[in-house]
Amino acid sequence: MNEPFVTKGELAKHLGVSSSTIRVWTSKKLIPEHTYLKVNNTYRYKLNAVSDALVEQRLQESKENDLDFNDLDEDI
């Protein structure tokens, strides 16, 4: 199934953040390049692809934090 692209504002509304947050996340590569299309200065995002990528990042960060916490336990 071909997922339609949405505007930055629609993505922001879906994620419950501001459009400027989406702009920052895009520029910091927190939103992976394969999840959006850029034409000139206009961005269009794949809703599900962005959501999936952000969830995956959060899970990865959580695993890394768990590992760091476990490393601290060994030192005690």
Side-chain angles (χ1 to χ4, degrees):
M1 183 162 87
N2 230 357
E3 181 182 354
F5 287 89
V6 299
T7 65
K8 179 176 41 178
E10 291 169 314
L11 178 63
K13 184 176 180 179
H14 176 76
L15 296 175
V17 298
S18 69
S19 292
S20 61
T21 297
I22 299 299
R23 185 173 44 255
V24 169
W25 288 355
T26 302
S27 68
K28 289 186 174 185
K29 309 279 189 218
L30 297 174
I31 296 177
E33 290 181 357
H34 73 274
T35 63
Y36 65 87
L37 180 65
K38 179 183 178 193
V39 178
N40 295 324
N41 289 327
T42 302
Y43 291 82
R44 293 292 184 265
Y45 299 86
K46 289 186 175 183
L47 260 181
N48 292 330
V50 172
S51 294
D52 292 346
L54 292 174
V55 167
E56 183 61 34
Q57 275 181 347
R58 184 62 73 161
L59 289 173
Q60 188 63 30
E61 289 172 4
S62 178
K63 286 179 185 177
E64 290 171 3
N65 288 338
D66 286 347
L67 290 175
D68 291 344
F69 184 73
N70 290 334
D71 291 343
L72 291 174
D73 286 345
E74 292 174 5
D75 294 338
I76 296 177

